């Protein structure tokens, strides 16, 4: 039982991650796929932040107190970078979706597949 | 000055990229990219010489010493890959000028070269860094610019190919991120040398195992190892052909380098291959990859798609070499990384020449091409021989080493399957050569007679690459020596 | 989203005009206070860009483009990266490693202040440029 409640943060990570993966696989709409991808990436950010948490710790700001308990700042910094990467990925993906819509007239994966299959190779 | 070279290796393309954006003129942004690429190539050669002479180079970014700071770490392995990446980038960029001028609208050229430079910067960064999280950051820099480069393709299917690569590639990169996170949780460090020291004593071996699985899956997606290669054929087929030549020579190779680095340097050979974790997965996937993908390549009518499937097959050879986990197996894998990089880049460049003049690369309609484009066809044939592994070409050097390595371990079946897949390569390359050289065109229209060779600025880089690969085919001991040094570095662990 | 609204959104327009200077000021605060407290180039860049995006949403894309043309944004994006990379190159010229700010001034702490300031400014300029460019790019599609 303590496993279930004590590690609730990790359970949230797992639920978010699986939800993201499921959306990516099960939805045909490209925008929804990107929403799934963002959710998936967010769950990883959450994983990093969870593991940096120290019980009773506060923000890692330098003070003159030897007993000052603070969370590990390094994963926060890493995730700041990863968030920027995630934003960039979403931006590139959305730009691609706009261009796909302009040239194919649809952003449904199954329709795209049938249009592509009809086009000749080479 | 010379001790700043590891940083300059990354900084040169990184500084040149925004300058390209500012210039905006198609010709001058190309010149800018060309200068940066050439400089990066020279730097990488000097670094390789230094490493071969004096051993490992370490460079502490920001003056913060490892393990707390980010460290650039160069040994024989990554010095060789640095030379490969920056060299292919420089050669293909010469070639790209005419090829891109024809297929990409002029007002987008500066963006194309910017994306190219960022991609080079990212790839070089992945290779040079000794910090696990830094690998992820550079991986995303190179991947994002790669998606952009692929979407420059003329065919509208380039967009969907790029999108699918983006989704799969991001999942792969996210897996790598999860893996690095668990490694950090288990050991409390991100420096590769430090990780290698702390993993065996870590209290939470289960977290290490999870990290190992996620990293392996992520890198296998990025390097397009057989069952995870779905993004590759379309991406290679519809990207601008200069981009394909560059990516085929470098992108998957750099991911394979990451695989090596994590398997052998960070986790160590005994961890990666000692627990029967990987042995049941990696070798079968590699072998199935090179047999099945060679078979699929035979039935492709688009020359680019045929070469793309052949690329997946070649990745299979490389991974098979790695998964033998012996000195000679690793040497074979590393040598094939370099050799196949050169061969596949020159093949795609030849295809680009055909595309430039003929306008399509539908194999059955390329009959009698030898009469019209003799130089391109000769280059294609020589590189095709390299792909098959005919003696005196680079393909022979690496395949011979691979067969030797598998026989040394007593795995006869692997050697036999390598030979079988080489036979298939003879079929698919031979079919193209047969059509090009011997088949007479059924209708001899005015457009199919007379010479129409590709421009010199495309032929010269093509022949430079063919020449280099011929040299290394005849003088195989040169690459084998570097690869052997790299293999013993990897098996010996980080110093 | 209506990008070219007529006169009827008076209240929104007046409130926006009031809010934008404060958003810009807050952006600058987050930018330049970043080396002492929470903040920095990424956050400041996004806040700064959000002021322009708000302007674009309320007054229409055309009027925002008159304020900040895409050409200016292109130079902003490039110069931010150049400022970052240039700081790295300068530290290398001074004999330190890449981005080793300690060599920038007589005293290491002082040099680190200078270095962080320049690098964060570069990040802020680039992020502002990229965010507004993204907005222009998507908002100009129908």
């Amino acid at each position: 039982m303590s496993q279930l409640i004590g590690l609730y943060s990790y359970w949230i990570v797992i639920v978010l991650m699986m939800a993201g993966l499921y959306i990516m696989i099960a939805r045909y709409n490209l925008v929804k796929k990107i929403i799934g991808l963002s959710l998936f990436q967010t769950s990883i950010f959450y994983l990093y932040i969870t593991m940096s948490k120290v019980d009773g710790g506060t923000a890692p700001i330098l003070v003159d107190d030897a007993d000052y308990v603070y969370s590990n700042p390094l994963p926060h910094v890493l995730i700041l970078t990863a968030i920027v990467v995630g934003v960039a990925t979403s931006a590139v993906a959305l730009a691609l979706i706009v261009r796909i819509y302009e040239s194919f007239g649809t952003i449904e994966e199954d329709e795209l597949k049938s249009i592509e299959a009809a086009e000749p190779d080479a | 000055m010379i001790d700043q070279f590891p940083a300059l290796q990354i900084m040169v393309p990184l500084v040149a990229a925004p300058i390209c954006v500012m210039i905006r003129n198609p010709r001058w942004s190309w010149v800018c990219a060309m200068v940066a690429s050439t400089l990066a190539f020279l730097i990488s050669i000097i670094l390789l010489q230094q490493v071969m002479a004096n051993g490992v180079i370490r460079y502490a970014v920001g003056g913060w010493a490892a393990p707390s700071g980010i460290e650039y770490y160069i040994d024989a392995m990554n010095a060789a890959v640095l030379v490969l990446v920056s060299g292919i980038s420089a050669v293909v960029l010469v070639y790209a000028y005419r090829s891109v001028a024809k297929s990409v609208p002029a007002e987008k050229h500066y963006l194309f070269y910017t994306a190219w430079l960022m991609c080079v910067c990212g790839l070089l960064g992945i290779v040079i860094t000794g910090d696990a999280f830094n690998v992820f950051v550079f991986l995303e820099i190179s991947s994002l610019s790669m998606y952009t480069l692929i979407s420059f393709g003329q065919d509208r299917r380039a967009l969907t190919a790029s999108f699918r690569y983006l989704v799969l590639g991001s999942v792969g990169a996210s897996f790598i991120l999860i893996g690095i996170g668990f490694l950090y949780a288990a050991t409390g460090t991100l420096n590769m040398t430090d990780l290698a020291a702390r993993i065996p004593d870590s209290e939470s071996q289960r977290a290490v195992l999870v990290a190992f699985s996620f990293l392996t899956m992520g890198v296998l997606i990025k390097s397009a190892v057989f069952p995870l290669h779905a993004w590759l054929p379309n991406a290679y087929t519809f990207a601008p052909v200069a981009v394909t030549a560059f990516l085929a020579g470098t992108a998957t190779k750099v991911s394979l380098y990451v695989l090596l680095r994590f398997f052998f340097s960070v986790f160590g050979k005994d961890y990666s291959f000692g627990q029967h974790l990987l042995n049941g997965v990696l070798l079968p996937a590699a072998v199935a990859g090179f047999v099945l993908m060679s078979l699929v390549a035979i039935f492709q009518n688009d020359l680019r798609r045929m070469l793309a499937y052949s690329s997946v097959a070649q990745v299979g050879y490389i991974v098979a070499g790695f998964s033998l986990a012996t000195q000679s197996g690793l040497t074979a894998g590393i040598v094939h990384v370099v050799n196949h990089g050169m061969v596949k880049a020159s093949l795609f460049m030849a295809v680009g020449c055909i595309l430039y003049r003929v306008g399509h690369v539908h194999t059955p309609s390329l009959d009698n091409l030898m009469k019209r484009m003799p130089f391109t066809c000769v280059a294609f044939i020589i590189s095709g021989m390299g792909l098959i592994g005919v003696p005196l070409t680079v393909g022979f050097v690496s395949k011979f080493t691979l067969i030797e390595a598998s026989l040394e371990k007593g795995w006869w079946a692997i050697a036999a399957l390598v030979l079988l897949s080489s036979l298939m390569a003879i079929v698919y390359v031979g079919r193209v050569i047969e059509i090009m050289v011997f088949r007479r065109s059924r209708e001899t229209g005015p457009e199919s007679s007379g010479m129409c060779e590709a421009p010199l600025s495309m032929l010269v880089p093509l022949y430079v690459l063919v020449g280099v690969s011929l040299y290394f085919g005849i003088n195989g001991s040169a690459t084998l020596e570097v690869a052997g040094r790299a293999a013993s570095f990897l098996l010996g662990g980080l110093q | 989203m209506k990008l070219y609204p007529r006169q009827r959104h008076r209240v929104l327009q007046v409130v926006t005009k009031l809010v934008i200077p404060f958003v810009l000021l807050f952006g600058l605060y987050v930018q330049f206070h970043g080396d002492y407290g929470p903040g920095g180039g990424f956050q400041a860049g996004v806040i700064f860009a959000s002021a322009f995006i708000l302007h674009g949403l309320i007054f229409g894309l055309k009027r925002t483009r008159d304020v900040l043309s895409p050409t200016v944004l292109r130079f902003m994006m490039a110069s931010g990266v150049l400022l970052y990379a240039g700081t790295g190159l300068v530290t290398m010229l001074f004999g330190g490693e890449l981005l080793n700010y300690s060599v920038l001034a007589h005293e290491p702490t002082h040099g680190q202040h200078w270095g962080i300031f320049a690098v964060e400014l570069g990040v802020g300029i680039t992020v502002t440029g990229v965010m507004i460019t993204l907005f222009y790019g998507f908002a100009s599609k129908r």
Side-chain angles (χ1 to χ4, degrees):
Chain A
M1 200 58 200
S2 69
Q3 292 268 310
L4 272 177
I5 297 165
L7 298 176
Y8 71 96
S9 207
Y10 289 97
W11 288 109
I12 295 175
V13 171
I14 292 170
V15 169
L16 280 180
M17 193 179 282
M18 291 305 121
L21 263 183
Y22 177 78
I23 296 172
M24 261 196 286
I25 295 165
R27 295 293 141 192
Y28 283 130
N29 189 311
L30 298 187
V31 176
K32 288 183 183 166
K33 271 187 199 292
I34 293 306
I35 294 174
L37 184 64
S38 295
L39 198 58
F40 183 64
Q41 288 176 329
T42 311
S43 75
I44 302 169
F45 307 157
Y46 199 80
L47 173 74
Y48 270 71
I49 301 302
T50 304
M51 72 174 70
S52 76
K53 177 69 181 166
V54 176
D55 270 344
T58 59
I61 297 173
L62 199 61
V63 289
D64 298 328
D65 179 7
D67 300 329
Y68 186 68
V69 183
Y70 57 91
S71 298
N72 185 352
L74 185 70
H76 296 204
V77 180
L78 301 182
I79 284 317
L80 192 62
T81 317
I83 288 173
V84 174
V85 167
V87 170
T89 311
S90 311
V92 173
L94 290 173
L96 277 174
I97 291 173
V98 168
R99 290 201 42 207
I100 288 174
Y101 184 73
E102 281 172 352
S103 51
F104 287 88
T106 176
I107 50 168
E108 295 292 326
E109 177 86 29
D110 44 350
E111 291 171 23
L112 283 172
K113 273 207 176 114
S114 57
I115 294 175
E116 282 188 315
E119 283 181 25
D121 243 3
Chain B
M1 185 62 196
I2 202 139
D3 51 327
Q4 301 281 13
F5 272 23
L8 281 177
Q9 178 83 80
I10 309 299
M11 290 307 280
V12 167
L14 186 63
V15 171
I19 292 179
C20 264
V21 175
M22 285 192 163
I23 295 174
R24 207 176 186 190
N25 172 302
R27 178 185 295 265
W28 288 105
S29 52
W30 174 77
V31 169
C32 174
M34 198 61 239
V35 169
S37 247
T38 316
L39 276 179
F41 181 47
L42 294 178
I43 291 171
S44 69
I45 285 181
I46 295 171
L47 282 176
L48 178 65
Q49 278 173 346
Q50 291 245 309
V51 168
M52 294 309 270
N54 310 330
V56 175
I57 301 175
R58 287 155 175 280
Y59 183 91
V61 178
W64 302 100
S68 40
I70 293 173
E71 178 190 47
Y72 288 169
Y73 176 97
I74 310 170
D75 59 18
M77 175 72 211
N78 43 6
V81 182
L82 285 177
V83 173
L84 177 78
V85 171
S86 54
I88 287 187
S89 156
V91 173
V92 179
L93 206 49
V94 178
Y95 168 93
Y97 184 67
R98 291 297 289 270
S99 167
V100 169
K102 192 163 181 181
S103 64
V104 177
E107 71 272 13
K108 284 187 184 165
H109 279 189
Y110 75 101
L111 291 174
F112 180 90
Y113 294 119
T114 309
W116 185 291
L117 284 171
M118 290 311 290
C119 189
V120 173
C121 168
L123 291 172
L124 292 175
I126 298 172
V127 177
I128 207 169
T129 187
D131 183 274
F133 191 78
N134 222 219
V135 169
F136 167 77
V137 174
F138 279 121
L139 188 77
E140 282 293 28
I141 292 178
S142 66
S143 306
L144 286 172
S145 36
M146 247 181 253
Y147 310 144
T148 321
L149 284 173
I150 291 171
S151 72
F152 274 107
Q154 269 179 307
D155 196 301
R156 62 178 180 173
R157 279 171 289 179
L159 298 171
T160 45
S162 168
F163 184 83
R164 281 180 197 131
Y165 183 19
L166 185 144
V167 170
L168 269 175
S170 300
V171 172
S174 304
F175 277 6
I176 294 174
L177 185 61
I178 300 174
I180 293 168
F182 275 106
L183 270 188
Y184 180 70
T187 60
T189 179
L190 289 168
N191 182 279
M192 288 186 186
T193 320
D194 218 26
L195 275 174
R198 289 201 205 174
I199 282 176
D201 310 324
S202 171
E203 289 166 16
S204 41
Q205 283 300 321
R206 192 177 287 176
V208 175
L209 189 60
V210 172
F212 181 76
S213 326
F214 270 114
L215 277 170
T216 309
M217 285 308 292
V219 181
L220 289 187
I221 290 176
K222 293 298 290 184
S223 48
V225 174
F226 164 58
L228 306 170
H229 67 281
W231 58 269
L232 188 139
N234 267 345
Y236 278 19
T237 308
F238 298 120
V241 77
V243 173
T244 310
F246 175 56
L247 293 190
T250 56
T252 49
K253 309 295 172 291
V254 166
S255 307
L256 286 166
Y257 159 80
V258 176
L259 190 73
L260 272 184
R261 193 47 101 199
F262 274 108
F263 276 4
F264 291 96
S265 299
V266 174
F267 288 98
K269 178 195 158 209
D270 297 329
Y271 187 92
S272 306
F273 292 94
Q275 312 184 5
H276 302 283
L277 267 175
L278 214 52
N279 296 334
V281 181
L282 202 58
L283 192 62
V287 172
F290 66 67
V291 175
L292 289 177
M293 289 298 116
S294 302
L295 193 63
V296 172
I298 295 176
F299 299 101
Q300 300 304 321
N301 275 336
D302 185 316
L303 205 46
R304 290 171 294 180
R305 196 180 288 275
M306 180 197 97
L307 291 176
Y309 278 110
S310 142
S311 273
V312 184
Q314 307 292 324
V315 169
Y317 290 128
I318 296 169
V319 175
F322 293 169
S323 50
L324 293 174
T326 57
Q327 167 79 25
S328 48
L330 265 181
T331 309
I334 295 165
V335 140
H336 202 51
V337 165
V338 178
N339 289 349
H340 174 247
M342 289 187 297
V343 165
K344 210 22 95 46
S346 54
L347 276 171
F348 271 115
M349 282 160 84
V351 170
C353 290
I354 299 172
L355 201 61
Y356 188 82
R357 282 297 182 217
V358 182
H360 68 81
V361 282
H362 185 238
T363 315
S365 340
L366 291 178
D367 43 356
N368 216 6
L369 195 70
M370 188 70 176
K371 281 267 161 52
R372 293 157 61 199
M373 305 180 70
F375 292 107
T376 308
C377 286
V378 167
F380 184 89
I381 291 166
I382 297 175
S383 314
M385 298 282 180
L387 195 61
I388 299 169
V390 176
L392 291 184
T393 60
V394 277
F396 179 73
V397 175
S398 38
K399 279 191 188 167
F400 185 77
T401 334
L402 180 60
I403 291 174
E404 217 174 32
S406 48
L407 289 184
E408 189 182 281
K409 222 174 174 184
W411 292 353
W412 293 86
I414 307 284
L417 286 171
V418 169
L419 287 176
L420 176 69
S421 141
S422 298
L423 285 178
M424 294 182 198
I426 295 180
V427 175
Y428 63 73
V429 175
R431 171 167 164 263
V432 178
I433 295 177
E434 190 262 338
I435 291 173
M436 273 182 183
V437 182
F438 299 112
R439 193 174 293 174
R440 290 280 158 267
S441 29
R442 268 150 268 135
E443 69 270 24
T444 37
E447 76 281 357
S448 64
S449 57
M451 287 269 285
C452 59
E453 193 48 80
L456 263 187
S457 72
M458 293 170 83
L459 278 182
V460 170
L462 171 59
Y463 269 90
V464 167
L465 214 52
V466 170
V468 171
S469 72
L470 269 183
Y471 171 76
F472 283 126
I474 294 162
N475 182 10
S477 56
T479 40
L480 278 177
E481 194 209 325
V482 178
R485 282 277 287 278
S488 46
F489 262 121
L490 286 173
L491 290 172
L494 297 169
Q495 283 106 23
Chain C
M1 182 199 313
K2 277 216 168 68
L3 289 170
Y4 301 98
R6 282 167 214 92
Q7 293 292 350
R8 52 191 171 164
H9 295 308
R10 243 319 131 63
V11 175
L12 278 180
Q13 294 185 347
V14 171
V15 171
T16 307
K17 276 197 174 165
L18 280 174
V19 162
I20 282 179
F22 291 103
V23 176
L24 291 178
L25 194 64
F26 184 58
L28 290 176
Y29 167 77
V30 173
Q31 170 78 54
F32 296 117
H33 202 256
D35 45 350
Y36 293 106
F42 284 117
Q43 298 86 330
V46 174
I47 294 171
F48 209 76
S50 72
F52 289 94
I53 293 173
L54 181 64
H55 186 269
L57 288 175
I58 302 298
F59 294 101
L61 205 55
K62 197 175 159 292
R63 288 179 64 181
T64 317
R65 277 218 176 117
D66 293 340
V67 179
L68 260 184
S69 72
T71 317
V72 173
L73 287 177
R74 200 159 52 80
F75 274 89
M76 276 173 76
M77 289 191 281
S79 58
V81 180
L82 276 182
L83 184 57
Y84 194 132
T87 315
L89 291 180
V90 168
T91 57
M92 282 159 79
L93 277 182
F94 279 32
E97 288 90 351
L98 174 71
L99 294 176
N100 183 356
Y101 312 126
S102 307
V103 295
L104 284 178
H106 309 292
E107 193 201 355
T109 356
H110 207 77
Q112 282 170 13
H113 270 304
W114 278 105
I116 283 290
F117 183 83
V119 162
E120 288 293 326
L121 189 62
V123 173
I125 293 173
T126 302
V127 171
T128 312
V130 170
M131 283 298 155
I132 302 177
T133 309
L134 281 179
F135 173 69
Y136 283 1
F138 286 119
S140 60
K141 304 275 177 197
R142 327 199 102 254

